[in-house]
Amino acid sequence: MIISGVAPELGGIKLAVIDQSKIRNFCIIAHIDHGKSTLADRIIEMTGLLTDREMQAQVLDNMELERERGITIKAQAVRTIYKADDGEEYMFNLIDTPGHVDFNYEVSRSLAACDGAILVVDAAQGVEAQTLANVYLALDHDLDVMPVINKIDLPSADPERVKEEIEDVIGLDAEDAPLISAKTGLNVHEVLEQIVEKIPAPAGDPDAPLKALIFDSKYDSYKGVIVFCRIKEGTVRKGTPMLMMATGARADVVEVGTFGAGQFIPCDELSAGMVGYITASLKNVKETRVGDTITNADHPCDEPLPGYKKVNPMVYCGLYPADGAKYPDLRDALEKLQLNDAALQFEAETSVALGFGFRCGFLGLLHLEIIQERLEREYNLDLVTTAPSVIYKIHKTDGEVIDLTNPTNMPDPSEIDYMEEPMVKAEIMVTSEYIGAIMDLCQERRGIYQSMEYIEEKRAVLHYHLPLNEIIYDFFDALKSRSRGYASFDYEMLGYQRSELVKLDILINKEEVDALSFIVFAGSAYERGRKMCEKLKQEIPRQLFEIPIQAAIGSKIIARETVKAMRKDVLAKCYGGDISRKKKLLEKQKEGKKRMRQVGNVEIPQKAFMSVLKLDDD
Amino acid sequence: MSKRGLELYVHIPFCVRKCAYCDFLSGPADDQTKRAYADALVREMRSVKEKYSNYRVDTVFLGGGTPSILEGDETARIFHALSEDFDISPDAEITMEVNPGTVSAEKAETWKACGVNRLSIGLQSADDGELKMLGRIHTFGQFLETWEIIRRAGFDNVNIDLISALPGQTAESWAKTLHTAAELGPEHISAYSLIVEEGTPFYEIYGEPEQGVQARSAAGQGRVLPPLPDEDEERGIYQATKEILDRYGYHRYEISNYAKEGYECRHNLGYWERKEYLGLGLGAASLVRERRFHNTADMEKYMGIFGEAKGGISDPASGEGAAEDFEELTLNDRMEEFIFLGLRKMEGISEQDFRRIFGKEIRQIYKDQIKKLTEQGLLAGAEGRIFLTERGIDISNYVFSEFIF
């Protein structure tokens, strides 16, 4: 099959017409830090599409935040041309998948756009929980998985053990797995050759009705929505009338093209087997949901590609501008972020303590943190975040069932028949010496033990069912600290379960602070209340009078701390006439006051609202 | 036409050894450096004299460091240059800071001859254990020797510097220091409370103060020192100061300063009253014509400008010399300063002065702040003045910061 089209000059390689058998669509899957992005960089570099100058470290993670955190947040794609040892030129479409459980659905859609996957395993760390989860996901999509062992230049590298592990635990043949160092480029050539050899070419009929899978979309202020897609069947070109089968959105194609490194390269058409982008004057990514199928509105296909679902937020919290006057700015910023992030939801709400703000829904805690950081960095907003909450189902005595996303809206206990909370199925991989510590942690977090299996002599997988609200705060941190970083963790949603839950209120100087209320398991309420009070005592600066801090369930006080009255605050030494310095100190103090929220007659620093989120003190 | 008043501050950035709490611009130096610095000071004066020819100097303060570390002839050279280059009022207050261990009868005679009429002597504590811990170079006995020398030389306006809230200090040991100092009968006593400043050895040990709490244990931090006094102890220490000094006839005229009637330090009062002052020497700060600035704190840079090799700068009268960080004070800055500096004085600020200087009513401009702080019992008013209450003194920073925009 021949794909006609432009043959742009790229990095000195004249692109000849490439037939479908010369296309390789693949992704790289790995546990965090096992070297996925570094390998991607090397592949791009060694296929010669980038000059050294263009080669910014980790080309694919192009959001500043992604580079800093080393996490891929949005799927990315890049097309490169590889001249193989057989003398032929191959078109590689490398699709980078998000690397976090919050974005599991996006991962699955990215995988569906590929025909094969490179599995990167750290030669020292071996197989981790995320590796397993990602491999299973890839196998579910019938991808051919090709293992690669990375970081063999590390002194602690043990490639033979890791090979065995891959074979025993995952059941993949690791005999020929290239032993590489993505950092130095060692043996990466072998990876390129194996991509040609082991990853199947795409199939699909370019003359069939159009069927394209959306695996990501982003909003660009010039082009409108840019849809990232894999053409499964048919051909799309400028002017093709598109129909998104799930959302029902329609638009005529304005431009199609492929992915250069960090740039879009327009071409005449995309046909079956190709990965590329489509623009049409669409204004919102809500219309081009990840997983949806694009077809030709005039010649639609019979049925959409399988697997589409609408992702819903799992975690909610209130976001408030630190400076109340910035409320419209926050709204604008959220609207802009939402253009690119269909999973982000928000609606206006008000809090007695924090004023006007938004209740926002996120896929998970990482998603929340990322949005929060982007708002602060890219939109220069100072934010106050309330404690994250999951969605509780409240069954009222009158038979009504409500989804509770904001603790403040909890009905009076007398109206509640019972409550349910979301549960997850968790897999924790841990070395044997820390099994006890991790089981203790799961126990404390109300985990229900399911099973445990040893994947090798010294490592086991623990299976637990855990309430989602127990892992959204600081479970990752606790897991890492109690296993000295050796445990890895993955989870998926399980469903709702009936539970004894109460609303815990915090009273500061006898006044309830709505932004600090949260829902907690009845059995943990006492402990949590006590910790909250202790934490707040540290965060609230002394004021002119004594301030009681109380935790209460209904009208019952369960914990109390006191912030003593301010005693002494004097700048005694002041001579040599250095007034400017003294003034700076006073200005700093005044600045601190501006960052306070007045609740009743008490000033509460904004960071107090957030510090209570991290209560694990192990 | 009468001249404008000016205060002069001259900085001597040298001492025998840096004390453990000290974050001032000062350190040990060899004789050659000190001599070269004194020469540079003289050149700096020469370079600015034209600019200040319309001023009459009311006070001079030779501070440090330890100015008494200079040899008599060096000190004399500095004062000689001062009197040549500036119009110094015949009744000017001329203060010099001295420290025990660097004072001799000969030096004291020289100072006297130079016109120094007020000395400020750093005692800090009457307890030898506390002195050692502070890293002072002297004992209480050595202080007494210095005291004798300067009294015998005829200095009859002398301040003693004390520091409270020291590590391990109790209300009793502080009271003992106060009694001991007051019984000597100095004309003035400064009683500062210890502030652990960044960059000092104490900071290494005690770190950043937790909010409002000074009591932290120093155990396990290398150098074994007692903890800072806890809150109740410190409060006792703080209250004792005024009570005890009152009994000896010292009245508190500023947050940390006590004097016998008529012996208030005019130079320091000038700072609180926003009088114009010029700082000479390394890092010295100035307020001239509603502009704040200070000299470079970089010795090499300073010597590069006024050191011998340069022989002064080409056009000293028009250049800025070693001055940097110029800050033009806006009307708002000036009003803020008027308040937060003026309130340091126990007599507080005068509504009429405010009206005269700014042409506005203080009670209108700061209506909300004054109302709130008065209700909180931190400010009081009487006879056209606004001043801190006892409670307001305790938390004066809180009060001042309310007036900052």
Side-chain angles (χ1 to χ4, degrees):
Chain A
M1 195 135 317
I2 303 295
I3 294 164
S4 58
V6 285
E9 191 99 33
L10 284 170
I13 301 172
K14 179 81 177 164
L15 275 191
V17 178
I18 281 186
D19 75 40
Q20 210 181 40
S21 69
K22 299 283 163 35
I23 297 176
R24 296 293 179 272
N25 297 321
F26 61 94
C27 58
I28 306 175
I29 54 182
H31 186 73
I32 193 163
D33 284 343
H34 281 199
K36 184 176 78 168
S37 297
T38 319
L39 178 60
D41 288 354
R42 280 305 89 74
I43 291 175
I44 294 165
E45 205 177 51
M46 293 176 70
T47 46
L49 276 183
L50 283 179
T51 61
D52 286 347
R53 196 141 42 100
E54 288 168 325
M55 192 73 205
Q56 230 179 333
Q58 307 206 340
V59 178
L60 284 184
D61 291 348
N62 64 10
M63 264 194 275
E64 183 190 349
L65 194 59
E66 292 184 330
R67 268 204 299 279
E68 261 169 50
R69 288 181 167 232
I71 306 167
T72 306
I73 302 162
K74 301 281 288 177
Q76 304 283 340
V78 67
R79 188 196 67 168
T80 69
I81 303 299
Y82 176 57
K83 192 161 182 179
D85 291 354
D86 63 9
E88 299 282 340
E89 283 185 344
Y90 289 84
M91 180 198 284
F92 284 1
N93 284 304
L94 167 54
I95 296 166
D96 198 16
T97 57
H100 191 272
V101 60
D102 279 9
F103 306 102
N104 232 358
Y105 174 69
E106 274 86 345
V107 177
S108 83
R109 294 303 85 201
S110 298
L111 293 175
C114 300
D115 303 301
I118 301 174
L119 168 67
V120 181
V121 182
D122 185 308
Q125 306 285 337
V127 175
E128 305 266 10
Q130 243 183 357
T131 322
L132 267 187
N134 285 331
V135 170
Y136 292 147
L137 213 50
L139 295 174
D140 281 352
H141 288 89
D142 292 327
L143 300 190
D144 286 352
V145 179
M146 165 193 140
V148 164
I149 296 169
N150 189 23
K151 302 196 191 178
I152 57 157
D153 52 335
L154 287 182
S156 53
D158 189 354
E160 285 313 311
R161 177 184 65 87
V162 173
K163 271 188 185 178
E164 268 173 45
E165 226 175 75
I166 293 172
E167 291 182 351
D168 295 353
V169 180
I170 307 178
L172 284 177
D173 179 7
E175 192 54 44
D176 302 335
L179 305 182
I180 69 161
S181 164
K183 207 171 86 185
T184 66
L186 177 71
N187 291 339
V188 175
H189 177 75
E190 207 182 320
V191 178
L192 298 174
E193 284 298 316
Q194 286 201 7
I195 292 170
V196 171
E197 213 176 292
K198 296 195 168 173
I199 291 178
D205 176 2
D207 298 323
L210 177 64
K211 213 178 212 186
L213 172 72
I214 302 176
F215 64 87
D216 197 8
S217 58
K218 66 162 78 175
Y219 179 78
D220 179 276
S221 44
Y222 298 107
K223 297 188 168 184
V225 174
I226 301 172
V227 180
F228 291 31
C229 63
R230 157 77 190 268
I231 316 296
K232 293 284 192 181
E233 301 284 350
T235 302
V236 61
R237 58 177 67 87
K238 185 176 174 181
T240 303
M242 290 195 295
L243 167 68
M244 314 312 142
M245 297 181 77
T247 66
R250 286 162 188 269
D252 289 347
V253 174
V254 172
E255 183 182 309
V256 297
T258 55
F259 306 106
Q263 76 215 65
F264 295 106
I265 302 169
C267 64
D268 286 353
E269 61 180 30
L270 295 172
S271 59
M274 292 182 79
V275 170
Y277 71 90
I278 300 173
T279 69
S281 28
L282 289 166
K283 287 283 164 264
N284 200 311
V285 290
K286 275 185 195 159
E287 294 174 319
T288 55
R289 302 295 293 244
V290 169
D292 200 354
T293 304
I294 302 172
T295 191
N296 185 321
D298 293 345
H299 310 284
C301 57
D302 301 343
E303 52 179 357
L305 295 160
Y308 173 77
K309 66 177 182 187
K310 189 166 179 281
V311 285
N312 289 314
M314 309 263 276
V315 174
Y316 285 80
C317 78
L319 289 183
Y320 290 80
D323 173 359
K326 292 277 175 71
Y327 175 77
D329 298 7
L330 176 58
R331 176 192 290 280
D332 286 351
L334 283 168
E335 279 169 1
K336 287 206 182 99
L337 288 178
Q338 203 181 40
L339 286 177
N340 255 330
D341 187 345
L344 170 67
Q345 292 187 358
F346 63 91
E347 61 183 36
E349 72 169 7
T350 47
S351 148
V352 179
L354 300 173
F356 291 99
F358 296 93
R359 176 112 319 224
C360 305
F362 306 94
L363 295 173
L365 203 64
L366 180 77
H367 189 209
L368 184 164
E369 282 177 24
I370 286 164
I371 294 294
Q372 190 188 333
E373 277 196 50
R374 291 189 65 186
L375 288 168
E376 288 181 345
R377 277 192 211 192
E378 294 168 29
Y379 297 90
N380 218 0
L381 291 162
D382 222 346
L383 296 177
V384 182
T385 315
T386 66
S389 169
V390 300
I391 309 167
Y392 298 97
K393 288 202 183 297
I394 298 184
H395 295 258
K396 293 172 68 174
T397 45
D398 62 7
E400 193 193 350
V401 181
I402 52 176
D403 282 351
L404 184 76
T405 58
N406 183 349
T408 318
N409 300 336
M410 182 151 140
D412 190 84
S414 64
E415 295 172 25
I416 298 172
D417 182 11
Y418 66 96
M419 287 173 73
E420 288 182 308
E421 65 177 327
M423 300 291 290
V424 300
K425 196 169 119 188
E427 272 179 11
I428 303 165
M429 195 170 281
V430 63
T431 45
S432 48
E433 59 200 302
Y434 298 112
I435 289 175
I438 298 307
M439 288 178 91
D440 285 348
L441 173 66
C442 292
Q443 206 73 28
E444 288 163 28
R445 300 300 176 103
R446 298 190 283 135
I448 304 153
Y449 173 83
Q450 302 298 316
S451 62
M452 177 173 80
E453 69 240 20
Y454 273 86
I455 55 172
E456 54 164 314
E457 200 185 337
K458 284 195 170 152
R459 290 212 306 164
V461 188
L462 287 164
H463 298 271
Y464 268 90
H465 289 176
L466 280 155
L468 181 61
N469 85 351
E470 295 285 346
I471 60 174
I472 59 169
Y473 293 96
D474 53 357
F475 188 74
F476 287 96
D477 294 345
L479 195 70
K480 288 282 171 213
S481 71
R482 293 198 195 183
S483 67
R484 298 206 177 163
Y486 279 110
S488 58
F489 167 67
D490 203 23
Y491 69 87
E492 60 183 274
M493 290 304 295
L494 194 62
Y496 275 80
Q497 196 177 68
R498 191 169 166 156
S499 181
E500 285 303 313
L501 299 161
V502 293
K503 176 167 161 249
L504 189 66
D505 296 315
I506 298 293
L507 288 79
I508 293 180
N509 205 23
K510 315 270 184 196
E511 275 193 56
E512 188 181 313
V513 182
D514 59 355
L516 289 172
S517 294
F518 61 100
I519 309 281
V520 63
F521 175 62
S524 321
Y526 194 84
E527 178 73 2
R528 282 294 289 277
R530 190 179 59 74
K531 279 190 177 169
M532 284 273 282
C533 290
E534 280 171 8
K535 195 90 182 188
L536 284 167
K537 183 188 174 180
Q538 290 163 20
E539 294 291 340
I540 297 176
R542 296 178 170 217
Q543 304 185 17
L544 295 174
F545 42 85
E546 197 174 274
I547 304 164
I549 300 171
Q550 296 159 307
I553 298 169
S555 58
K556 188 175 164 227
I557 304 291
I558 59 166
R560 180 190 160 120
E561 291 283 343
T562 306
V563 177
K564 287 203 216 160
M566 195 192 292
R567 280 285 171 85
K568 202 189 113 188
D569 186 11
V570 185
L571 255 183
K573 196 170 54 176
C574 189
Y575 86 109
D578 188 3
I579 306 300
S580 300
R581 189 172 151 199
K582 313 297 166 211
K583 196 169 160 186
K584 283 199 184 86
L585 284 169
L586 294 176
E587 277 165 359
K588 209 172 136 193
Q589 191 162 355
K590 182 73 181 189
E591 207 41 52
K593 266 188 219 173
K594 282 189 193 151
R595 274 196 286 272
M596 303 269 200
R597 288 285 171 165
Q598 187 88 26
V599 178
N601 52 355
V602 180
E603 287 170 333
I604 305 175
Q606 284 163 6
K607 71 181 175 89
F609 291 97
M610 292 175 271
S611 67
V612 296
L613 310 185
K614 299 212 162 135
L615 295 174
D616 192 276
D617 46 17
D618 292 295
Chain B
M1 197 184 92
S2 72
K3 288 184 166 184
R4 295 165 73 97
L6 183 72
E7 309 203 313
L8 283 179
Y9 175 80
V10 183
H11 191 65
I12 306 298
F14 306 117
C15 52
V16 176
R17 189 178 76 201
K18 196 113 173 120
C19 299
Y21 57 87
C22 173
D23 79 326
F24 286 156
L25 196 51
S26 175
D30 56 37
D31 290 346
Q32 203 189 339
T33 308
K34 286 181 239 175
R35 207 162 276 281
Y37 180 79
D39 289 341
L41 260 182
V42 170
R43 281 192 205 94
E44 187 187 2
M45 289 174 203
R46 211 122 289 170
S47 79
V48 298
K49 61 184 266 193
E50 290 303 323
K51 262 194 201 170
Y52 297 93
S53 58
N54 286 328
Y55 286 90
R56 197 200 54 246
V57 175
D58 297 320
T59 70
V60 177
F61 198 103
L62 193 63
T66 298
S68 54
I69 199 172
L70 297 179
E71 294 305 325
D73 62 325
E74 286 164 351
T75 315
R77 214 146 37 86
I78 292 167
F79 278 108
H80 180 72
L82 272 174
S83 62
E84 279 204 331
D85 296 336
F86 295 93
D87 175 11
I88 296 178
S89 161
D91 67 344
E93 173 196 272
I94 301 176
T95 307
M96 182 171 161
E97 280 189 297
V98 304
N99 273 311
T102 59
V103 177
S104 65
E106 292 72 30
K107 279 187 186 175
E109 287 301 326
T110 311
W111 303 334
K112 196 85 197 160
C114 287
V116 175
N117 53 27
R118 185 173 181 271
L119 290 183
S120 174
I121 175 165
L123 168 60
Q124 319 311 359
S125 169
D127 180 294
D128 282 346
E130 288 176 358
L131 287 173
K132 194 171 169 203
M133 181 188 58
L134 287 171
R136 301 289 295 179
I137 58 161
H138 58 87
T139 60
F140 180 67
Q142 284 163 322
F143 161 83
L144 279 181
E145 288 166 23
T146 302
W147 178 256
E148 288 303 318
I149 292 171
I150 62 178
R151 279 307 203 198
R152 234 179 286 140
F155 285 100
D156 55 7
N157 184 358
V158 181
N159 167 57
I160 292 180
D161 260 350
L162 300 174
I163 302 180
S164 68
L166 303 178
Q169 195 174 50
T170 60
E172 288 75 50
S173 74
W174 173 239
K176 189 166 161 268
T177 289
L178 284 173
H179 283 291
T180 311
E183 266 158 30
L184 290 169
E187 287 66 34
H188 190 285
I189 292 178
S190 293
Y192 300 111
S193 62
L194 178 74
I195 291 175
V196 178
E197 300 279 3
E198 218 174 322
T200 63
F202 268 16
Y203 189 83
E204 300 299 309
I205 298 164
Y206 298 106
E208 197 68 57
E210 291 166 50
Q211 42 162 319
V213 191
Q214 289 263 314
R216 273 155 289 141
S217 169
Q221 299 272 335
R223 191 172 165 192
V224 180
L225 283 180
L228 293 167
D230 69 23
E231 196 168 280
D232 291 334
E233 200 75 58
E234 196 180 342
R235 184 147 183 81
I237 287 171
Y238 203 68
Q239 279 179 335
T241 314
K242 186 175 184 297
E243 280 165 26
I244 293 171
L245 293 181
D246 212 39
R247 270 184 262 159
Y248 288 90
Y250 296 94
H251 73 276
R252 183 187 216 172
Y253 68 98
E254 195 266 351
I255 291 178
S256 315
N257 286 294
Y258 300 79
K260 289 187 174 166
E261 205 57 47
Y263 285 96
E264 297 82 7
C265 175
R266 282 158 53 193
H267 184 84
N268 276 338
L269 278 174
Y271 292 144
W272 316 138
E273 290 166 359
R274 304 194 70 252
K275 292 202 168 138
E276 286 183 279
Y277 58 93
L278 173 67
L280 298 163
L282 194 67
S286 303
L287 169 66
V288 179
R289 307 233 174 218
E290 298 303 354
R291 199 158 74 134
R292 292 198 180 275
F293 54 90
H294 60 81
N295 277 347
T296 176
D298 179 339
M299 182 63 111
E300 240 176 81
K301 206 166 157 193
Y302 182 80
M303 294 307 286
I305 296 166
F306 296 115
E308 192 168 20
K310 299 285 166 187
I313 44 176
S314 53
D315 185 10
S318 67
E320 300 291 8
E324 51 189 36
D325 286 352
F326 293 89
E327 187 193 358
E328 297 285 347
L329 299 176
T330 62
L331 176 66
N332 193 43
D333 289 334
R334 283 148 57 199
M335 291 194 298
E336 279 174 19
E337 287 189 6
F338 177 91
I339 294 171
F340 83 76
L341 295 174
L343 282 176
R344 293 190 64 97
K345 297 185 296 173
M346 296 302 104
E347 61 171 32
I349 48 184
S350 146
E351 293 174 32
Q352 201 193 326
D353 285 351
F354 192 90
R355 198 178 301 129
R356 182 173 48 78
I357 297 167
F358 303 110
K360 294 172 195 283
E361 286 300 322
I362 189 170
R363 286 194 180 272
Q364 236 154 33
I365 294 187
Y366 297 102
K367 192 170 140 233
D368 296 343
Q369 290 94 325
I370 293 172
K371 179 169 177 276
K372 177 180 161 193
L373 292 165
T374 306
E375 280 169 7
Q376 290 174 336
L378 304 173
L379 278 185
E383 294 162 13
R385 299 195 77 88
I386 299 169
F387 46 86
L388 294 174
T389 61
E390 283 288 318
R391 176 85 175 116
I393 295 168
D394 283 357
I395 54 173
S396 51
N397 279 350
Y398 170 83
V399 177
F400 300 158
S401 68
E402 284 291 307
F403 288 98
I404 304 278
F405 275 109

